[in-house]
Amino acid sequence: MKANNSMAQTWFAQRDLYDWVYASAIFAGAMFALLRFGAYMDGYEKAILLCAAPSFAWLGWVWRPMRWLFPLTAALALIGIFQYGGTLEAAKQRFLLKWFLSSQSAILWMAVLFCLSTVFYWIGLLGRSESAQAIGARLCWGAVVLGVTGMLVRWYESYLLGSDVGHIPISNLYEVFILFALITAMFYLHYESYYQTRQMGAFVLLIIAAAVGFLLWYTVARDAAEIQPLVPALQSWWMKIHVPANFIGYGTFALAAMVACAWLLKNAGILADRLPPLEVLDDVMYKAISVGFAFFTIATILGALWAAEAWGGYWSWDPKETWALIVWLNYAAWLHLRLVGGLRGKLAAWWAVIGLLVTTFAFLGVNMFLSGLHSYGKL
């Protein structure tokens, strides 16, 4: 116990002035949000906000880019919000909103930057150009900034439609595809920084670009960018924690699968001199699946609690629930064989790739081809 206390004291003692300024700003922002918008929140939402503040402060301490990402996106979102002046019509009239800071404009810029980032990562990988890969990384960060800004502004826009319409923007396929792209990109950028290599970016950005491509098609074909009131089944505070936890799982599983593709190519001698060592790729794959499994487990438990409140039972073998269980069992088996049986190499990589197909069906296929209690998520 004394050793643990000593380690905690040492860790806090290592925080510099910028760490404490950042943490203070996060808590000040949370207090402002509570005072300014507390009237629109119930007790659960206030608790989520108060728990999020120390979580974001800690995240900024352990991963330094968060210390500028959170303040920058908050500042851009506030600039956009103040431009509205209380009416959505301002998005068509004011220059900053029309071209940059309305939710639709910011999200379209996000899509463009993610696609450009993919191109530059591939130019850098194939041409052994560190400068091209550095541009790809900066474009990826730019996409994250604009994507987060767009989501925050969209949250505000929903309240301009009416206090009974306003909701966190994670309620439909349009919004969760943005969430998926942002989560996957942020986890990748963390691993890129941690392992000091940008050579995985070409592969991971492919899955993000694919999500962005679907998002653009969905926007045009279904007019999906329009903000809609929540269906009754989603009018719950459970959504605010269940959906993000779920998509941390989806995003990290997708990241692991794309890194597994890089592993398989390097092992086959394709791009072998351009990719990181197999040990690094294997370690990223393992860590991504471990994080994803932990959050997917939490999301599944939260989903069961939500189901009990909404439908009167923890589990109903709805197609979405059944396929969520299949995904969970798939990665549980992968991790079990990894930790107990020493699963490595080609089998582990192929399993991670196939796992992405299973996860994709659970995410999209169920919505497209099966019906059930989650039918509000259909394409």
Side-chain angles (χ1 to χ4, degrees):
M1 179 66 73
K2 290 182 178 179
N4 290 338
N5 289 338
S6 177
M7 289 176 62
Q9 292 172 0
T10 301
W11 191 79
F12 277 101
Q14 291 174 344
R15 300 303 103 201
D16 59 25
L17 177 62
Y18 295 108
D19 285 330
W20 292 110
V21 170
Y22 164 78
S24 299
I26 289 292
F27 280 96
M31 290 301 102
F32 169 79
L34 189 62
L35 293 173
R36 177 67 177 81
F37 303 108
Y40 299 106
M41 302 179 186
D42 58 27
Y44 294 113
E45 291 167 332
K46 292 175 182 177
I48 293 170
L49 175 63
L50 293 176
C51 289
S55 300
F56 287 159
W58 171 82
L59 185 57
W61 284 0
V62 298
W63 190 30
R64 294 301 177 92
M66 294 297 100
R67 298 196 307 181
W68 63 259
L69 178 65
F70 288 145
L72 177 58
T73 53
L76 290 173
L78 286 173
I79 292 170
I81 287 170
F82 289 130
Q83 287 282 308
Y84 274 100
T87 173
L88 280 172
E89 289 302 312
K92 301 175 183 178
Q93 301 164 357
R94 298 187 178 175
F95 179 82
L96 274 179
L97 289 177
K98 184 175 182 179
W99 298 106
F100 295 104
L101 292 181
S102 69
S103 66
Q104 291 188 35
S105 296
I107 288 164
L108 284 174
W109 277 112
M110 176 205 75
V112 170
L113 291 180
F114 271 138
C115 292
L116 288 175
S117 176
T118 307
V119 171
F120 274 94
Y121 269 120
W122 273 102
I123 290 173
L125 180 67
L126 298 176
R128 294 190 179 90
S129 172
E130 292 184 6
S131 60
Q133 290 180 326
I135 293 172
R138 291 185 179 93
L139 289 168
C140 190
W141 273 115
V144 169
V145 168
L146 288 171
V148 173
T149 300
M151 292 288 269
L152 291 173
V153 173
R154 184 178 176 87
W155 197 345
Y156 174 76
E157 290 171 350
S158 69
Y159 280 94
L160 290 181
L161 292 173
S163 59
D164 58 334
V165 176
H167 59 272
I168 186 172
I170 50 173
S171 64
N172 56 40
L173 280 178
Y174 174 82
E175 294 166 348
V176 298
F177 258 93
I178 299 167
L179 182 66
F180 170 82
L182 293 174
I183 286 174
T184 308
M186 291 175 70
F187 269 98
Y188 164 71
L189 289 166
H190 168 68
Y191 290 128
E192 177 182 277
S193 173
Y194 183 83
Y195 289 96
Q196 293 294 297
T197 176
R198 295 189 173 111
Q199 296 165 316
M200 300 178 291
F203 292 88
V204 178
L205 264 293
L206 279 178
I207 194 69
I208 297 174
V212 164
F214 176 89
L215 180 70
L216 294 175
W217 168 81
Y218 194 50
T219 301
V220 173
R222 299 289 189 273
D223 202 19
E226 294 298 319
I227 298 173
Q228 300 293 334
L230 289 176
V231 298
L234 296 179
Q235 294 174 5
S236 170
W237 66 274
W238 286 105
M239 181 182 74
K240 300 173 179 65
I241 50 178
H242 168 70
V243 176
N246 223 4
F247 277 85
I248 291 175
Y250 286 148
T252 50
F253 293 155
L255 188 155
M258 300 313 293
V259 171
C261 290
W263 191 101
L264 291 167
L265 287 176
K266 184 176 179 70
N267 188 61
I270 302 171
L271 301 175
D273 58 337
R274 294 174 173 83
L275 292 170
L278 291 175
E279 294 76 14
V280 170
L281 296 172
D282 182 78
D283 198 43
V284 173
M285 183 168 43
Y286 166 63
K287 287 179 177 176
I289 288 177
S290 297
V291 170
F293 181 76
F295 277 92
F296 198 78
T297 301
I298 293 169
T300 303
I301 294 170
L302 293 173
L305 295 171
W306 186 4
E309 181 182 285
W311 299 319
Y314 292 101
W315 197 268
S316 59
W317 295 105
D318 175 77
K320 197 77 169 181
E321 295 172 349
T322 303
W323 275 93
L325 178 61
I326 292 170
V327 171
W328 187 88
L329 290 172
N330 174 69
Y331 288 106
W334 193 99
L335 286 169
H336 176 75
L337 290 176
R338 170 84 178 204
L339 297 173
V340 176
L343 179 68
R344 297 287 193 283
K346 188 179 293 186
L347 176 59
W350 274 114
W351 195 333
V353 173
I354 294 171
L356 177 60
L357 300 179
V358 176
T359 304
T360 301
F361 187 82
F363 175 23
L364 270 183
V366 171
N367 296 47
M368 294 171 65
F369 304 116
L370 303 175
S371 62
L373 294 173
H374 294 80
S375 58
Y376 50 80
K378 280 186 174 295
L379 286 172

